[in-house]
């Protein structure tokens, strides 16, 4: 997430890992800097206890009646996509954060939406989502990144404040479908990838073409998981209220395949196609994932469990 900015933060916060001769930067595709090494490369936060992504175990999800509907402002406005960029490790679409806002859904206040970016594997059949659900990994994941309005659109300021609710990220799973041209918006979005094949390239031609809503068409915005976590790239700051929507966006296989066959990683030595740009799941460490839907499974939440235990004990007493 927020790749360029976060690289700078690593430089600020972890000066010891960057010697002038051999700057050791994080990556996805090399053993010396892939995500298993991040706790060493960027130990201040990547080694933390509230890290993202996570595997969501649906049987342990607890009910939270506060998780109401979102109020998504500007999601139907096609004049909000400022540019699309190859930001070294992902494709990022920069958004007009004065027009796009997220509130409701039990997040504390109004959040200005800065950008969205994607994580993927290698084509629609080799998964690449960051979050998983009961171990299932989806082909791709879309992250819409917003920062609390009190930071005036400054993500660095939110991270510097060490505010655990400084950022709100909406995560959408992408699933492949055999239907062709699904959807027109994904066709348009992915058609720009050939203009940003190399790291650092960007184009603003994408303006006035696509709305955010058209990219997440078909997803019920009232059904989601909620937990407290982190950025999924170094510095892995634990500053994110995560919302992961249950229903995936359905996108034609062809459009999904364009990502892993078109854009390159930043790599000084070779042109290497960007594939598998996701972080593996992190330990929950006691965190609880909540959701709207009543959980009626074999593993009830602990509060229910204690009630059942008390009932069992009382019935034993009567026996
Ligand atoms: C990451 O690199 C380590 C070695 O540092 C290697 O054992 C591991 O298989 C790699 N994992 C991925 C997902 O590339
Ligand atoms: C990560 O944190 C744990 C516990 O604080 C510590 O034992 C471990 O050495 C740390 N690892 C790194 C790579 O900093
Ligand atoms: C719901 O919100 C109320 C009021 O803010 C709070 O007291 C309560 O703990 C919340 N419930 C959950 C499950 O988070
Ligand atoms: C949604 O947010 C917009 C912009 O902040 C606001 O004008 C509108 O009143 C909100 N709608 C609801 C239903 O809260
Ligand atoms: C954003 O916040 C950072 C950290 O507080 C600060 O250094 C920087 O000047 C701010 N940027 C802008 C454009 O205000
Ligand atoms: C899909 O879109 C392309 C380009 O817009 C068009 O030529 C083609 O006819 C469409 N196919 C179907 C089945 O709609
Ligand atoms: C963008 O939205 C404006 C205003 O709703 C509309 O007139 C225009 O046709 C839209 N552009 C595209 C490419 O859909
Ligand atoms: C990449 O280039 C650097 C500098 O020329 C070199 O030290 C390094 O070994 C190269 N890495 C690979 C994987 O070829
Ligand atoms: Zn992300």
């Amino acid at each position: 997430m927020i790749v360029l900015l976060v690289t700078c933060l690593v430089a600020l916060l972890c000066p010891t890992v960057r010697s002038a001769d051999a700057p050791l930067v994080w990556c996805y595709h090399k053993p010396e800097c892939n995500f298993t090494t991040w706790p060493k490369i960027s130990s201040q936060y990547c080694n933390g206890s509230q890290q993202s992504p996570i595997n969501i175990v649906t049987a342990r999800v607890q009910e939270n009646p506060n998780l109401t509907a979102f109020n998504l402002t500007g999601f139907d406005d096609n004049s909000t996509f400022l540019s699309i960029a190859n930001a070294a490790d992902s494709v990022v679409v920069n958004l007009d954060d004065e027009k796009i806002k997220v509130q409701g859904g039990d997040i504390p206040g109004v959040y200005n939406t800065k950008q969205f970016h994607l994580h993927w594997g290698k084509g629609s059949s080799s998964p690449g989502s960051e979050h998983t659900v009961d171990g299932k990994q989806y082909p791709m994941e879309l992250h819409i990144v917003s920062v609390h309005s009190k930071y005036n659109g400054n993500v660095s300021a939110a991270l510097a404040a060490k505010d655990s609710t400084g950022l709100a990220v909406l995560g959408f799973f992408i699933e492949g479908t055999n239907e062709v041209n699904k959807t027109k918006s994904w066709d348009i979005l992915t058609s720009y990838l050939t203009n940003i094949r190399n790291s650092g390239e960007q184009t603003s031609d994408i303006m006035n073409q696509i709305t955010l809503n058209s990219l997440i068409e078909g997803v019920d915005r009232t059904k989601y998981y909620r937990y407290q976590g982190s950025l999924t790239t170094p510095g892995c700051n634990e500053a994110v209220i995560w919302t992961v929507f249950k229903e995936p966006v359905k996108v034609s296989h062809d459009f999904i395949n364009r990502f892993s066959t078109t854009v390159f990683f930043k790599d000084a030595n070779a042109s290497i196609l960007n594939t598998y740009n996701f972080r593996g799941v992190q330990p929950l460490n006691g965190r609880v994932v909540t959701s709207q839907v009543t959980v009626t499974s074999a593993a009830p939440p602990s509060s229910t469990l204690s009630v059942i235990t008390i009932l069992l004990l009382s019935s034993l007493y009567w026996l």
Side-chain angles (χ1 to χ4, degrees), residues 226-248:
R226 166 64 46 77
Y227 79 99
Q228 190 63 45
S230 75
L231 303 185
T232 66
T233 56
C236 310
N237 305 57
E238 295 181 342
V240 182
I241 303 174
W242 273 99
T243 301
V244 178
F245 291 86
K246 295 183 178 180
E247 296 178 356

Side-chain angles (χ1 to χ4, degrees), residues 222-267:
T222 67
K223 292 182 183 151
Y224 56 86
Y225 301 108
R226 166 64 46 77
Y227 79 99
Q228 190 63 45
S230 75
L231 303 185
T232 66
T233 56
C236 310
N237 305 57
E238 295 181 342
V240 182
I241 303 174
W242 273 99
T243 301
V244 178
F245 291 86
K246 295 183 178 180
E247 296 178 356
V249 186
K250 302 265 177 56
V251 176
S252 302
H253 297 302
D254 289 352
F255 301 159
I256 291 176
N257 292 344
R258 286 176 181 171
F259 287 92
S260 56
T261 57
T262 310
V263 293
F264 296 112
F265 277 129
K266 181 181 176 68
D267 193 300

Side-chain angles (χ1 to χ4, degrees), residues 181-192 255 258:
N181 290 350
K182 191 157 172 69
T183 56
K184 184 75 185 159
S185 293
W186 280 91
D187 188 10
I188 296 170
L189 179 79
T190 54
S191 71
Y192 286 103
F255 301 159
R258 286 176 181 171

Side-chain angles (χ1 to χ4, degrees), residues 71 73 101 103:
N71 178 2
T73 304
K101 295 179 174 68
Q103 59 187 302

Side-chain angles (χ1 to χ4, degrees), residues 165-240:
T165 61
L167 304 181
V169 182
L170 307 181
F172 292 86
F173 294 122
I174 313 293
E175 190 166 71
T177 172
N178 289 325
E179 286 179 68
V180 295
N181 290 350
K182 191 157 172 69
T183 56
K184 184 75 185 159
S185 293
W186 280 91
D187 188 10
I188 296 170
L189 179 79
T190 54
S191 71
Y192 286 103
L193 296 179
T194 53
N195 299 341
I196 56 162
R197 299 195 75 187
N198 302 303
S199 175
E201 291 178 343
Q202 67 169 346
T203 174
S204 51
D205 292 350
I206 196 168
M207 191 64 158
N208 297 321
Q209 305 295 311
I210 312 172
T211 66
L212 259 186
N213 261 344
S214 66
L215 292 174
I216 52 176
E217 194 183 292
V219 176
D220 184 341
R221 319 285 164 74
T222 67
K223 292 182 183 151
Y224 56 86
Y225 301 108
R226 166 64 46 77
Y227 79 99
Q228 190 63 45
S230 75
L231 303 185
T232 66
T233 56
C236 310
N237 305 57
E238 295 181 342
V240 182

